[in-house]
Amino acid sequence: MRLINKYIIINEVEKGRSIIRLISLPLLIQFYIIFTLGYLNIIPQLYNYEVIHASAIIFTAGLFLLLTPTIANQVRQAINDKYYATTLLIFLAITYELAYLATVPPYYGLSLGASLDTATYLQSFASLTYYRKFLVSFVGPFFGVHASPILLLIYPIYEVYPSIFTLMTIQVVILMLPMPLMYKLGMKILNNPKYALATALLYILYPWITTAYAPFEVVTLAGSLMAMALITMYLNDRRAYWASLTLAMASIEYVPLFSIGLSIYQALTREFRKLAIPTLIYSIAWLIADYYLVMYFSGWTHNIFSNLYGAALSSLLTSITNKLLNFNATKTLAIDPQTHDNINMTSILNSIIQQAAFQYNIKAQYIIYVFGPLAFINFLEPQTILLMPWLAALLTNFTPYYIPNVYYTILISAVALPATIWALRKLGIEARKKALTALLIINAIAGLLMGPLTPLSGLYYGNTIPNWNTPVANQYDLAMIQLANYVPWNASVAVPATAVPWYSITRYGWGNHGVLFFGPSNGTQYVVYSPLISTGWPFNTGGSEYEPYIFDDGAWILKINYTGPIRVINGFYYENVYIINPVLPGTWQYPIAQIPPTNITIQIKTEAKPQQAIVLLNTTLLKTQLQLPQGIACGDVLGPGPGEVIIPEDTYIAQPITINKTTKINTITVFTSYTSGLTTAELAITSSPKLNQESTIYTYTFTIPWWCLPHSWATPITANPGITLKPGAYYVILTFPVQGQTICEQIPNAPKALLINATTGQVIKQLPCTLGTIITLNTQNNTKAAPQTNATINILGNNINIGGNQEIIIITKTKNTTSLTLMVSTYKIEPNIQLLIKTKIVTQNAKKLPISWYLIPTIGLVPEYIILIIAIFIHLNFLFRNRKLVTAP
């Protein structure tokens, strides 16, 4: 009777689920019907944001309804299993933290590194909503490069609240979804909820999972969804397996290759053999569909395998697929995507061997970094080799493929971790527990030092440990974000590259309605600009057709053909500290803003601090070698200067230095420029003259503007390592990707510089000169009297002579629009002095922009702390109750 009742209950539950699916289905389909009718102009009234937005809300409600039985089932399991409840609460807490770290710090801080890739997706979605363009961004049609139909599923969810925050939250949720599944895998392998919880924790502690939380990338989706497919296969949940595998296939064109390897693994195992043929057929079907999808949207010019950058393997796969799938292949398709030459099999094979040997030591370290925290246990399972693109990463010279903390690693790590847990089944139960405990300890340490969940990763990566008690955005960032509200959605805008995300939400492309990263064009309607951040193009409001709107920190918005007065928003409030270290002869210009007629108060504090310095140059010649001020605008060509040396492209110059005692390096100044062309360069401190990852202690990339046309002087460029070196021999390395020049003088008793081939690392020759360098060390005891220096400050026509520590207050009134620029002139070389100039500038009616609570990470993460406290309370309460039951008489 009880058995009959059980079956009746199960049937009723299944019937309820079927009803929910029937109700949710039309809610999901309606979005695509409404959007298609509007997009194709069949019913043009439907193609507007309001209709799409409302339809997207209905879609999301339908999706939530569809998932309701699954969510309810998870809640029931959590009620019955407190360890699983703890897992789900930790899942929510970490999801919140990663979503916070992926949005608030990088985007309120206008971080280009985290925003540029994400802007591709923001612009692609905007093109669907506003411009009748099918997933088009500034790089062209998205499907013309990658096969990612999953974007069409994400799009309506994104449109409920179209913002960076929504997009990144979607990614983080998908990234964290395997965590509850890992708990169930742990239960299957160890049959103990405590160790199952440890298995779930391993997912967030293993550093190469959580490091993929930003930027938004379909690669990250592919890795986590492939992990879900693998785990559900281990759990024998066929329905979840096919759902996960389908979503993974839809994420990016590489997944079908991984699943072909998975089908081979399945064929070799008795437990999963029935899945092998269906998985193989399904994978090949997806691969062919991806091939034709990208071909169609690229105008039959782009093969999906050409996306494997820096690998001759790409040419081989491109050739094979074009011959098999494109019978009318054009001459373009027979061209090697790497070299743009005709495909030659012999040269391809030679290139594969050469690229496999390229930076082999760094690739070996990569394998150790990625699989080391797993104790290489994953290699006990053959799917490790069949599933993972780590072998492809070793056959390329594209460095990001084998840097552990770059998001590409998720394709390896998200599959390696479940394989590691699955491999434990080969051990005895006690050995499994001990192995898992060891893995948990290893990854707890690795996660703290390499992952993003704590600021301690700065220790491992050699960066400054971030202070989570300080705001992630300054006044400039907040002003730039607010400026976006003053630009019409359909306007063509030119912006500084760092402002890209905020101007990418509703705009795309280089032409109409475009976000132009590198400056105004003839079609530009608005320019967003600030002299506080270099934009990459020269700009001068004098005589220009643009007029500025002044924001309270100096950010400008400029509209073409605007003839009205300057618009002042909240007045002008500006604070900054300018550091001249070391003090060199010349004049430095710091443009601040255009100031309209207003009352203005300027407060300037100067501090001269003593410091030690290693000076490797002839200071008597330095004054003639320097021509300042620095900037994009260059001086006249004066002919060959004394002590200069030409550095050919693809070489670098290495200067040996000796540190006699443990020393903190504050700054390094070198003197360099390019003889022609515009590009960047790198400065490094290494323990070996060979520039590789193992010997590199610090690197710094020179950014614009510091180049010029050919000239006879060199620009001083200062990096701020803030690193501590133990006694020993080191090298200051300056890398030139194109021909450059630097100061290299013949100095008696000073070590000579080396000219080295950047590709092979072989020394070309020892130069007869010493690289001109000034290295400032830890400051001397502050109890010493403040040193005196000789400098002049000019601001708004006021000349102020400074000799050391002093404070100046200027109260004045500007009658016309005035360019506010701080000019600092120094007259002699003083490498043992650091000059700080603290400025505070306030105009009439100015007020400082308030810092919101969520911009301070420690406070912004409060919801996470609350969830974790609840998880700990539930867990401890459960343990306490169990202990009472055990000890009760």
Side-chain angles (χ1 to χ4, degrees):
M1 188 67 181
R2 289 181 180 178
L3 188 62
I4 294 173
N5 289 337
K6 182 179 178 182
Y7 279 118
I8 291 173
I9 294 171
I10 292 173
N11 289 333
E12 289 297 323
V13 170
E14 286 300 320
K15 187 184 295 182
R17 289 179 177 176
S18 299
I19 293 171
I20 289 174
R21 293 190 193 101
L22 288 174
I23 295 173
S24 62
L25 196 60
L27 299 181
L28 297 172
I29 294 174
Q30 59 81 31
F31 175 84
Y32 297 104
I33 294 174
I34 289 174
F35 177 81
T36 302
L37 291 173
Y39 182 83
L40 296 179
N41 217 19
I42 297 172
I43 306 178
Q45 296 86 348
L46 297 178
Y47 190 71
N48 64 74
Y49 173 71
E50 287 73 20
V51 173
I52 294 173
H53 179 64
S55 180
I57 293 174
I58 297 171
F59 174 93
T60 305
L63 182 63
F64 180 78
L65 189 63
L66 181 67
L67 296 175
T68 298
T70 303
I71 296 172
N73 184 43
Q74 299 305 307
V75 172
R76 281 194 297 270
Q77 292 181 47
I79 292 172
N80 297 323
D81 183 348
K82 303 305 180 185
Y83 285 94
Y84 190 57
T86 303
T87 298
L88 292 183
L89 286 171
I90 294 173
F91 163 80
L92 293 175
I94 300 304
T95 298
Y96 175 86
E97 178 177 352
L98 290 181
Y100 177 91
L101 295 177
T103 52
V104 175
Y107 295 111
Y108 276 103
L110 300 181
S111 169
L112 177 62
S115 68
L116 190 57
D117 284 356
T118 306
T120 305
Y121 298 90
L122 295 172
Q123 292 177 336
S124 296
F125 289 150
S127 72
L128 280 176
T129 306
Y130 300 107
Y131 309 120
R132 296 187 189 278
K133 302 284 187 179
F134 196 76
L135 293 174
V136 175
S137 71
F138 56 84
V139 296
F142 189 92
F143 283 173
V145 179
H146 290 298
S148 304
I150 197 171
L151 295 181
L152 300 178
L153 175 62
I154 292 172
Y155 172 59
I157 305 172
Y158 168 83
E159 280 300 305
V160 172
Y161 183 72
S163 75
I164 293 169
F165 302 100
T166 304
L167 194 61
M168 294 309 306
T169 300
I170 291 171
Q171 170 161 293
V172 170
V173 168
I174 294 174
L175 177 65
M176 289 290 103
L177 275 180
M179 184 185 173
L181 291 174
M182 288 290 290
Y183 177 91
K184 296 178 180 181
L185 181 61
M187 279 295 292
K188 181 171 182 175
I189 299 298
L190 297 146
N191 196 29
N192 184 311
K194 183 166 63 175
Y195 284 94
L197 174 59
T199 306
L201 290 176
L202 201 60
Y203 186 80
I204 61 172
L205 292 175
Y206 181 41
W208 313 126
I209 300 287
T210 50
T211 47
Y213 70 97
F216 185 89
E217 270 294 343
V218 286
V219 171
T220 298
L221 306 184
S224 47
L225 291 169
M226 198 63 196
M228 291 176 64
L230 193 60
I231 298 170
T232 52
M233 182 189 73
Y234 294 151
L235 296 173
N236 289 316
D237 188 340
R238 299 296 173 88
R239 184 180 297 175
Y241 167 76
W242 287 111
S244 301
L245 188 63
T246 300
L247 290 172
M249 294 280 196
S251 58
I252 197 167
E253 61 276 0
Y254 299 131
V255 175
L257 293 176
F258 308 156
S259 55
I260 288 173
L262 178 60
S263 68
I264 298 172
Y265 165 74
Q266 292 166 343
L268 298 175
T269 59
R270 180 181 304 174
E271 190 173 0
F272 308 121
R273 191 164 295 162
K274 291 181 179 179
L275 288 172
I277 293 177
T279 300
L280 178 63
I281 295 173
Y282 197 51
S283 304
I284 293 174
W286 267 100
L287 185 65
I288 294 172
D290 288 345
Y291 174 87
Y292 285 116
L293 177 71
V294 173
M295 276 292 183
Y296 174 80
F297 279 95
S298 66
W300 300 93
T301 60
H302 190 85
N303 185 297
I304 54 176
F305 291 108
S306 63
N307 294 333
L308 187 59
Y309 299 114
L313 184 64
S314 169
S315 305
L316 180 62
L317 295 175
T318 298
S319 176
I320 293 171
T321 50
N322 282 339
K323 288 179 180 179
L324 292 176
L325 301 176
N326 194 340
F327 302 105
N328 297 316
T330 62
K331 183 174 175 59
T332 305
L333 296 176
I335 297 298
D336 185 337
Q338 305 297 326
T339 64
H340 304 288
D341 296 328
N342 291 327
I343 288 176
N344 182 291
M345 291 300 298
T346 303
S347 63
I348 288 176
L349 294 175
N350 288 334
S351 297
I352 290 175
I353 295 172
Q354 291 175 5
Q355 290 167 358
F358 179 77
Q359 293 186 328
Y360 65 90
N361 55 330
I362 298 177
K363 292 173 182 177
Q365 292 175 25
Y366 175 73
I367 297 300
I368 294 171
Y369 285 142
V370 173
F371 299 126
L374 302 178
F376 301 95
I377 296 174
N378 55 294
F379 284 103
L380 296 177
E381 285 298 314
Q383 71 263 40
T384 292
I385 297 174
L386 297 171
L387 278 174
M388 296 182 192
W390 62 275
L391 289 173
L394 302 184
L395 299 178
T396 178
N397 57 16
F398 185 57
T399 308
Y401 284 160
Y402 45 89
I403 296 177
N405 57 321
V406 175
Y407 56 81
Y408 292 111
T409 304
I410 190 69
L411 294 173
I412 300 173
S413 57
V415 177
L417 182 56
T420 299
I421 302 302
W422 185 244
L424 294 181
R425 78 192 189 286
K426 298 179 179 181
L427 306 175
I429 189 66
E430 292 303 319
R432 295 179 200 178
K433 293 178 179 179
K434 290 178 181 178
L436 183 65
T437 302
L439 288 174
L440 193 65
I441 294 171
I442 293 170
N443 284 275
I445 298 171
L448 289 175
L449 294 178
M450 301 177 185
L453 299 178
T454 71
L456 295 179
S457 60
L459 292 173
Y460 172 77
Y461 293 109
N463 303 323
T464 303
I465 297 178
N467 183 0
W468 281 8
N469 292 316
T470 59
V472 298
N474 56 33
Q475 299 298 300
Y476 165 79
D477 302 333
L478 297 177
M480 290 297 290
I481 291 163
Q482 292 188 31
L483 279 175
N485 298 326
Y486 292 90
V487 180
W489 282 6
N490 290 334
S492 178
V493 185
V495 300
T498 50
V500 164
W502 296 104
Y503 289 88
S504 297
I505 295 175
T506 58
R507 304 174 182 89
Y508 80 96
W510 296 93
N512 294 331
H513 315 306
V515 177
L516 309 179
F517 296 124
F518 303 112
S521 68
N522 293 333
T524 302
Q525 295 170 275
Y526 287 83
V527 174
V528 177
Y529 174 79
S530 173
L532 307 181
I533 300 292
S534 60
T535 59
W537 67 84
F539 193 87
N540 182 3
T541 57
S544 170
E545 58 187 349
Y546 297 92
E547 289 291 338
Y549 292 64
I550 294 181
F551 224 90
D552 54 6
D553 71 329
W556 301 346
I557 181 171
L558 306 134
K559 184 177 180 181
I560 194 168
N561 297 327
Y562 177 76
T563 57
I566 293 177
R567 181 175 179 179
V568 180
I569 305 173
N570 296 335
F572 181 85
Y573 184 101
Y574 177 74
E575 288 184 84
N576 203 358
V577 178
Y578 303 97
I579 300 176
I580 300 178
N581 182 17
V583 175
L584 301 171
T587 301
W588 282 262
Q589 296 186 40
Y590 303 101
I592 298 174
Q594 290 286 111
I595 297 295
T598 185
N599 295 320
I600 184 169
T601 300
I602 302 172
Q603 178 180 333
I604 299 176
K605 290 183 179 180
T606 62
E607 288 184 38
K609 292 185 176 182
Q611 63 182 8
Q612 296 172 330
I614 300 173
V615 183
L616 296 177
L617 78 168
N618 188 333
T619 56
T620 59
L621 293 177
L622 185 59
K623 192 170 183 178
T624 62
Q625 290 164 326
L626 296 182
Q627 181 175 329
L628 298 172
Q630 303 173 55
I632 295 178
C634 301
D636 296 328
V637 179
L638 303 178
E644 291 186 359
V645 63
I646 298 295
I647 308 298
E649 64 179 307
D650 295 325
T651 65
Y652 60 84
I653 185 171
Q655 174 61 48
I657 59 170
T658 300
I659 302 296
N660 295 321
K661 61 181 180 179
T662 301
T663 304
K664 183 177 181 180
I665 303 296
N666 287 340
T667 69
I668 299 179
T669 301
V670 292
F671 304 83
T672 183
S673 61
Y674 285 128
T675 55
S676 63
L678 307 179
T679 186
T680 60
E682 283 195 352
L683 177 71
I685 299 177
T686 67
S687 58
S688 165
K690 288 191 175 183
L691 187 58
N692 54 50
Q693 189 176 21
E694 182 179 357
S695 66
T696 300
I697 301 169
Y698 169 80
T699 60
Y700 173 73
T701 300
F702 303 146
T703 55
I704 57 174
W706 68 275
W707 57 71
C708 275
L709 297 173
H711 48 268
S712 64
W713 53 272
T715 302
I717 305 167
T718 299
N720 301 277
I723 59 174
T724 299
L725 298 180
K726 296 179 180 179
Y730 298 91
Y731 295 84
V732 176
I733 291 180
L734 193 58
T735 303
F736 290 88
V738 301
Q739 182 167 294
Q741 55 190 3
T742 185
I743 292 178
C744 190
E745 299 178 333
Q746 297 185 13
I747 302 174
N749 302 319
K752 307 302 181 184
L754 303 172
L755 185 64
I756 299 175
N757 186 301
T759 303
T760 64
Q762 298 298 314
V763 176
I764 298 173
K765 63 179 177 179
Q766 184 179 52
L767 298 172
C769 54
T770 301
L771 175 67
T773 309
I774 299 177
I775 303 174
T776 64
L777 311 177
N778 51 302
T779 55
Q780 297 176 0
N781 195 325
N782 289 330
T783 58
K784 286 188 176 181
Q788 295 295 303
T789 187
N790 185 11
T792 301
I793 293 177
N794 181 283
I795 189 166
L796 288 181
N798 296 278
N799 279 317
I800 305 158
N801 294 319
I802 57 173
N805 298 351
Q806 59 192 86
E807 181 175 348
I808 306 103
I809 296 177
I810 302 171
I811 301 175
T812 186
K813 182 175 183 178
T814 57
K815 297 181 179 180
N816 302 302
T817 301
T818 304
S819 177
L820 182 62
T821 301
L822 178 70
M823 296 181 64
V824 182
S825 300
T826 53
Y827 305 103
K828 62 179 181 178
I829 301 166
E830 297 176 303
N832 294 312
I833 295 178
Q834 179 187 80
L835 180 61
L836 286 80
I837 303 169
K838 302 177 181 179
T839 60
K840 180 179 179 181
I841 302 171
V842 182
T843 65
Q844 188 175 2
N845 301 322
K847 60 181 180 180
K848 194 171 184 178
L849 286 177
I851 300 294
S852 301
W853 66 272
Y854 53 81
L855 296 181
I856 302 173
T858 299
I859 303 175
L861 293 174
V862 164
E864 180 198 14
Y865 307 148
I866 294 173
I867 297 173
L868 289 176
I869 289 170
I870 294 172
I872 294 170
F873 174 78
I874 291 175
H875 191 61
L876 292 178
N877 184 52
F878 172 69
L879 293 177
F880 180 73
R881 287 174 59 189
N882 279 357
R883 184 173 296 176
K884 286 181 67 177
L885 290 172
V886 170
T887 56

